[in-house]
Structures are given as structure tokens and as C-alpha cells.
Amino acid sequence: MYFYEISLLNSPLTPLTYNHNIGLSLGVEVEVQLRNRTLLGIVVSICEEPVFKTTSITKVTTFHYSQIQVKCAKFISEYYFCSLGEALQLFTPFLEEKREEGEPLGQDKREEGRGKREEDGSVSKIVLSTKQVEALDFLQKHPVSLLFGDTGSGKTEIYMKWFEEALAQGKRAIFLMPEISLTPQMEIRLKEHFGDAVVMWHSKVTKPQKKKLLERIYNGSAKIIAGARSALFLPIEDLGLIVVDEEHDDSYKASSRPRYHARDMAIYMGKLYDVPVLLGSATPSMNSYVKFPHTRLKGGHFSATREFTFEACREEVTTSVESAIVQTTGQGEQAMLFIPTRANFKYLICESCGHTHSCPYCSVGMSVHRKSNAIKCHYCNFSERIPSQCSECGHEMLSSNRLGTAEAVHFFEESHPNIRVGQFDRDAVSTQKKLKKLLKAFNAKEIDLLVGTQMLSKGHDYHDVTLAVILGLDNQLNMSDYRAREKTLSLLIQIAGRSGRKKAAQVLVQSYNKEFFEAYIGKYEQFLEDEKEFRKGLYPPYKKLARILFAHKYANKAEEAMQEMVEKLRCSTTIETIGYGPSQIEKIANKYRYQILLRADKSTDLIAAIQSSRVSLAEIDMDPIEFN
Ligand SMILES: [Zn+2]
Ligand SMILES: [Zn+2]
């Protein structure tokens, strides 16, 4: 009889002991019983017979997790404070028995892949400029490197060249992108060159499609695995390279447990697999800029100019915004309008008493969606009819503020019916199909004006935009977040970078902080240098932060748990409690929220302090990027 510690997949429990009559190796997936339920678990260690009675493993499946996957999951569970079972749940296991070489399915696929590429001619079509060649040479000298390249400077060609080299050596590559950048455009570009060797892996891929793609990953015909966060955890042998595109993007950080950062995990996995990791961005994160050697790629393929003008006001379609858009579209050119808020308006406010209509379950204002005649909570999705009078004082005049995308679309459709308007946000672009359709229409010039949220800034190519209007940046700049300046400036540069790809463009920015933006336009490097001084001794990457959240439907329960942990933390001398109290958003989905913010020189100090003082309600967020 053998005894094993089994981590239950997706369970917050610590590993449990089970027995089995034959020897099993680490990482094997098994079925076990727990309180009359059949659950999947992973053998994470072999142990002595315990003093208590154990039950038997009921079944050994055909899947297993590699040693590296288990090691990586252990790291995630310790660093990001989750159970090993929750960390293992991120991974897709390997098939226990590899396919025989002669088995029809696998071979067919391999032949197919090979045939395709030979038809295309095996000579490389990726021709790099001298600058790009120099950049690639530099990057290949370092285990982790940063490609700091302006939008349109040819980062993707460099990635593709390196993929090609990896493939020529019989290796495979992981290509991480923020979810929304996984556009049809990128897919076409990769497939044109690498054919069936490319697999696109993201949340919009259906289950049956995933099964087919996984088949190709198992049989080895998929060589370049392009995808969002989860692609990092696929069962890939012979890995030769990991590329993290748009490495500054916040969507790499998971917002629920395990709260890992995919870029940081890529770097960790690069070490485990002993493969190089390439980070790329036009606006690199402070973190990567400080930590890793970088090479700078300036200018675009199209050396078009951008002229910035500023207007001191908050998100409003002013006459200057309106006339700039009318003029540009009137000349048969395209315009983009960025607004951070979706819906018609962010808030509904009483004109008499000033009461803001808040979600009954969250302490946030409800947004106005005119199309569905509803106010909606963007945190918990609760919605109700737009009220006709104030719930506090009964006054009948309610006004809306903080303009949203839908309202701007509405405005232009009403007052300028000749301008063809497209809406680019989560409400309008809910499926991959809709995204495809919208981008196609915009690039075919069937849309004159594209109105959108942050989605506009992500990795898409808009060829002929000559006007970019950017509203509402000040809201982000004024947030109490140590990264507010970095995030806002990066956003401005990313959006502006979508315009003027071929022709000179005008960028109109509404902000009361003209001096800040003007100082750093075209000088992101200078910004990072100056920002270093602000961060030193206080914030990452020079210090490590952890946020501890306490959420409970009774406010006093959450507060008491927070107080208890604050007291316990006083014993740790290597960390500093920066602050504690109710969260900025005091309630979400009917739970009251309290938090503690911790700081230390080393993450090991933070982890040790948290481990020794943790209370049961505490939810730990290491390297947090959200503070409200
Ligand atoms: Zn009122
Ligand atoms: Zn809500």
C-alpha cells in the first residue's frame, strides 16, 4: 500500500492523504472521493502511512502534470496565497501516454503542417531592417529582455523572426497577448507566415474548438501558441521561447484567486524551462524598464507626424471636438474618439439634492444606459429602470454626468447623420464575430468615426486615422494609485499611436494637466527616468506591496478581521503597514470591504509576515495593481 498527498483541483483545501495499491509518480491525475463526491486531484507528494484512516484513490486518469508544472503551481500557491489545487487548476495537463509515432491522427497533422509550409516556399519572407536586426541580436543575448519599440516600429516582425528561428531548431514558442489584442488581424498575420503551426488560445474559443486545438498541441503540430494569460499554462514540450507582447498591460494580472501576474509568471517559467523571455511594449512598465536590459526601437514604418493640442475641460463634446471630427470626416478621413466610460453616462444625479443613484449592492454610482432604458451597476451587473424621480427627495429633475461612449455615438448620430459612427466597447463588441465585423468595416472605410473605451488602445491597426480625440484622462490621472501617472501617460501614447500610421495626424486631448502630458509626449523614456525618483524608497519596483482584503456581508465582521490581522502584523519588523481601513469602494455585491496595505523591501519578508499573521477572512493580493 502506498500513501499520497493529493491536491484537489480548484479546491481551497490543503492536500489530503489517500492510498493506492500501486506506485504512482508525482503529477499524476487521479479521481478520489470526498464526502460522497468524486473529485479530480493531483499526486503532489508521496508520504508515510498516516495515523488516521485513509480512503483509496478510485481511479487513475490518463493525464499528468509535468514536474515543471507542479513546481510552478507550488510557486503560485506560495507567492500568490492560494491552495495548490487552485494553482494547478490553471494548468492543462499532459496526456499520460504519448501517441505512438505511427498513429494516424498525429501523423496526418504533422504531414499537413509540413506540406503547407513547403508550398509557401521555405525561404523566410521576414525581412528585417538593419535596426531590427541589431535589436534582435541584442535581445537574444539576454535571458529576459525588453523590446521598447514605438507603435509601428516593427516589433511583431522581430517576434516572428525569433519564432522562425526557434521553429527551425525544432522548438516551440508561447506568444502572450492581452485578450483583446488577439485580433483576427494578428491571427491572419501569423497564419500567413506559419500556417497551421499557429494556434490561437483565448476565452472566446469554444470548448469543442479548444479540444481540437489541444489535440494539435499534444501531437506536436502546433508550434506557436498565441494566446491570453491561460496560454502560458498549456502542456508544451520543447519550449524554445516566450514572448510577452504589450507587457505593460494590466490585463495580465488576474483579478481573482490565484491573483497571479502572467508577465511575471512568464519570466519565472522562462527560468524553469531555461528559455529566453522577450517582453515588448511601446510604453514599457516601470517594473520591466528598471529590471531588464532593453533595446530601443524608435519611429514608425510610416514616419508620419502627430500634432497634439490640448483643451482644458472634462469629457465633453465641445465645439472644438465636434468641428475637428466634422472636418476630418468631411475630408473623407477617419477619426477616433476615446472616452473612458461605456454607457451613456457614468452617473445619474438629482438636480435638487445632489444625490447620486448608487447600486443597492455596491457603493458605486449606477451608469445610465439609454438604449435599454436602464441604470446598471458595472461592478455587479445589477440593473433597474431609469427612475423618474430622486429616491431621496422625490425631485423629478435628474441629470446625468460623466459622458460615456454610447452618448457620444448617440450625439453624432442625431446631429451629424452623414457621419458613420462605430461603437467600440464591451457593450457593443461582445463577441469575436462582432469585433471582426467592426474592425473590417472600419478598415474598409465604411465607418468614419470610431468611438470607444480602453479597447481602442489595444494592439489594433487602424491605417488611415488622422484625428484622435482623447477625453477624460484626468479621472485616471487623479486616482489614488501610485501608478496613476504611468497608466495615464501610457494610455495617451497608446491611443495616439493608433493614429497617423500613414498620414500626419492631429491628436486632441481634453485635460487640465497639459503640462504633465506635454512634457512627456514622444519622451516616454524620460518619463520613466523621472518616475524612478518618485518611486525610490516608496513604491515598486523598488519596494514590494501587498494588499489584504476583507469582504463580508456584515461590515463589523470584515472590520474585526482586519483589526485582528493589523494587531498580529505589528510583530513583524521587516514590513511596514502603510494603511488600513475601509476600501475606497466600501461595498461590492453586498459585501463590505476593508483592506490593509503592506510594504517591504523583499517579497519574502511580506510573505513571511502574512503567513504568520493571516486570519481566515484575509484575501491576499501580492503586487497589487488595484487599490480601490
Ligand atoms: Zn434628490
Ligand atoms: Zn452593484
Side-chain angles (χ1 to χ4, degrees):
M1 189 81 89
Y2 301 88
F3 297 89
Y4 301 101
E5 294 213 308
I6 309 291
S7 264
L8 302 175
L9 276 186
N10 215 14
S11 154
L13 299 175
T14 50
L16 303 174
T17 311
Y18 287 86
N19 66 62
H20 197 53
N21 50 10
I22 39 174
L24 296 172
S25 48
L26 291 181
V28 166
E29 188 185 79
V30 295
E31 276 181 19
V32 293
Q33 296 287 317
L34 183 67
R35 295 184 207 105
N36 296 323
R37 281 167 60 212
T38 302
L39 300 169
L40 281 178
I42 313 301
V43 176
V44 290
S45 68
I46 297 157
C47 55
E48 299 283 304
E49 182 171 2
V51 288
F52 51 86
K53 200 173 166 288
T54 58
T55 45
S56 304
I57 286 168
T58 42
K59 190 182 163 188
V60 179
T61 77
T62 53
F63 294 101
H64 83 280
Y65 293 72
S66 70
Q67 299 306 305
I68 287 185
Q69 285 182 321
V70 174
K71 198 172 169 190
C72 200
K74 279 185 177 162
F75 172 81
I76 290 174
S77 80
E78 283 160 19
Y79 189 89
Y80 292 107
F81 289 89
C82 64
S83 76
L84 189 48
E86 286 170 325
L88 281 163
Q89 176 72 27
L90 294 169
F91 293 82
T92 305
F94 286 86
L95 268 176
E96 184 57 39
E97 274 158 324
K98 287 175 75 180
R99 282 179 190 287
E100 291 295 313
E101 198 53 34
E103 207 168 314
L105 188 64
Q107 200 172 10
D108 269 7
K109 294 271 176 184
R110 258 189 292 261
E111 290 297 332
E112 209 177 283
R114 202 180 296 151
K116 274 262 165 60
R117 234 166 305 130
E118 274 163 14
E119 268 169 29
D120 295 347
S122 51
V123 191
S124 172
K125 281 182 201 144
I126 306 166
V127 182
L128 299 186
S129 69
T130 319
K131 272 187 191 169
Q132 286 172 315
V133 171
E134 280 168 12
L136 182 58
D137 282 347
F138 174 88
L139 299 166
Q140 289 182 330
K141 287 193 182 93
H142 303 280
V144 183
S145 58
L146 171 64
L147 176 56
F148 182 173
D150 296 348
T151 316
S153 63
K155 291 190 290 292
T156 311
E157 282 102 39
I158 294 180
Y159 303 155
M160 286 171 67
K161 192 75 183 175
W162 201 346
F163 290 149
E164 196 178 66
E165 291 180 19
L167 263 57
Q169 290 165 7
K171 304 276 189 185
R172 302 158 85 183
I174 295 176
F175 186 16
L176 289 191
M177 280 171 268
E179 179 86 33
I180 192 66
S181 313
L182 286 157
T183 56
Q185 291 170 349
M186 183 56 96
E187 184 170 357
I188 289 166
R189 209 163 159 193
L190 289 170
K191 286 193 171 162
E192 261 173 11
H193 190 77
F194 297 105
D196 285 345
V198 177
V199 155
M200 304 292 278
W201 187 274
H202 51 86
S203 68
K204 298 261 157 66
V205 178
T206 62
K207 258 197 173 157
Q209 282 171 329
K210 277 194 173 164
K211 217 180 147 199
K212 278 185 191 164
L213 295 179
L214 208 49
E215 193 65 45
R216 288 171 49 205
I217 292 171
Y218 284 136
N219 72 28
S221 64
K223 306 280 186 198
I224 296 170
I225 291 86
R229 287 197 311 242
S230 58
L232 197 56
F233 306 113
L234 288 167
I236 301 165
E237 284 174 319
D238 308 315
L239 190 63
L241 171 67
I242 305 174
V243 171
V244 184
D245 192 25
E246 311 284 352
E247 67 84 28
H248 64 277
D249 200 288
D250 277 352
S251 67
Y252 282 126
K253 176 89 159 82
S255 56
S256 58
R257 212 165 60 221
R259 296 171 179 267
Y260 69 96
H261 197 300
R263 175 199 60 217
D264 298 345
M265 283 315 300
I267 293 162
Y268 176 80
M269 284 167 80
K271 258 186 228 158
L272 286 186
Y273 281 98
D274 194 23
V275 302
V277 179
L278 169 57
L279 312 174
S281 175
T283 54
S285 63
M286 210 27 209
N287 195 62
S288 302
Y289 180 74
V290 170
K291 282 189 188 157
F292 307 111
H294 75 270
T295 182
R296 188 81 177 87
L297 212 54
K298 282 192 180 180
H301 269 351
F302 324 108
S303 49
T305 54
R306 288 185 201 104
E307 189 197 326
F308 284 80
T309 43
F310 289 83
E311 186 181 20
C313 67
R314 298 207 182 279
E315 58 288 322
E316 244 182 273
V317 179
T318 55
T319 43
S320 49
V321 167
E322 188 180 351
S323 61
I325 289 172
V326 169
Q327 201 192 347
T328 303
T329 54
Q331 290 165 354
E333 289 174 351
Q334 289 178 302
M336 255 168 33
L337 172 57
F338 166 82
I339 306 170
T341 311
R342 60 195 168 96
N344 290 78
F345 292 98
K346 196 170 172 119
Y347 302 117
L348 187 65
I349 292 167
C350 170
E351 287 187 358
S352 170
C353 74
H355 170 73
T356 302
H357 278 260
S358 297
C359 171
Y361 307 106
C362 311
S363 52
V364 292
M366 307 263 283
S367 298
V368 183
H369 290 253
R370 277 221 287 236
K371 221 176 210 168
S372 44
N373 189 31
I375 49 176
K376 282 184 192 166
C377 170
H378 288 179
Y379 282 81
C380 73
N381 286 327
F382 172 76
S383 82
E384 59 186 5
R385 281 174 64 103
I386 297 178
S388 55
Q389 56 185 47
C390 174
S391 59
E392 288 292 300
C393 74
H395 187 73
E396 288 185 0
M397 292 298 283
L398 299 177
S399 73
S400 321
N401 79 354
R402 292 271 303 267
L403 179 77
T405 44
E407 187 64 19
V409 169
H410 175 74
F411 171 81
F412 281 99
E413 280 174 348
E414 289 284 300
S415 45
H416 300 282
N418 54 324
I419 299 179
R420 296 163 300 175
V421 188
Q423 188 177 335
F424 198 24
D425 59 25
R426 270 204 285 152
D427 293 324
V429 186
S430 49
T431 62
Q432 192 79 354
K433 209 175 161 187
K434 286 180 182 168
L435 173 68
K436 233 178 194 167
K437 208 175 145 195
L438 186 68
L439 288 175
K440 201 178 159 199
F442 192 62
N443 281 327
K445 293 207 157 188
E446 288 157 16
I447 291 171
D448 305 307
L449 171 66
L450 197 56
V451 179
T453 55
Q454 254 85 342
M455 275 174 102
L456 273 181
S457 69
K458 315 260 171 136
H460 308 290
D461 278 324
Y462 315 111
H463 304 294
D464 294 304
V465 174
T466 57
L467 172 71
V469 180
I470 303 170
L471 313 188
L473 285 182
D474 287 353
N475 298 315
Q476 187 164 61
L477 191 63
N478 297 333
M479 280 214 265
S480 56
D481 173 346
Y482 77 94
R483 291 164 66 243
R485 287 150 52 96
E486 178 183 342
K487 279 161 74 174
T488 313
L489 187 62
S490 160
L491 182 63
L492 171 67
I493 293 171
Q494 293 281 347
I495 300 165
R498 304 288 145 210
S499 67
R501 301 296 284 264
K502 281 182 182 164
K503 285 181 244 171
Q506 199 194 338
V507 182
L508 179 55
V509 183
Q510 283 187 348
S511 168
Y512 288 101
N513 296 280
K514 178 184 171 184
E515 293 73 26
F516 167 70
F517 293 116
E518 263 190 342
Y520 297 121
I521 284 166
K523 297 178 206 152
Y524 199 69
E525 212 160 0
Q526 184 59 50
F527 166 73
L528 292 170
E529 287 299 326
D530 292 351
E531 189 71 0
K532 277 184 185 172
E533 299 311 312
F534 162 68
R535 301 261 183 108
K536 270 177 194 164
L538 292 172
Y539 299 111
Y542 304 99
K543 291 274 184 175
K544 284 281 183 176
L545 299 180
R547 181 167 79 136
I548 328 259
L549 278 162
F550 306 85
H552 198 278
K553 68 174 174 172
Y554 299 113
N556 63 331
K557 292 264 186 201
E559 190 180 5
E560 279 161 22
M562 178 199 70
Q563 286 293 357
E564 189 190 341
M565 190 154 167
V566 167
E567 287 308 317
K568 285 183 171 181
L569 282 163
R570 290 191 207 279
C571 306
S572 303
T573 52
T574 52
I575 62 133
E576 178 192 352
T577 302
I578 306 176
Y580 59 91
S583 301
Q584 237 172 54
I585 300 175
E586 293 184 31
K587 194 169 81 170
I588 291 180
N590 231 9
K591 282 184 170 178
Y592 290 88
R593 306 164 79 240
Y594 283 77
Q595 68 180 42
I596 306 173
L597 196 60
L598 302 177
R599 171 159 64 198
D601 286 329
K602 289 184 294 196
S603 48
T604 45
D605 291 338
L606 276 181
I607 291 167
I610 293 166
Q611 263 167 355
S612 63
S613 54
R614 193 175 180 182
V615 301
S616 61
L617 204 58
E619 169 77 21
I620 290 106
D621 187 7
M622 286 295 286
D623 308 324
I625 59 166
E626 270 181 53
F627 299 91
N628 51 13

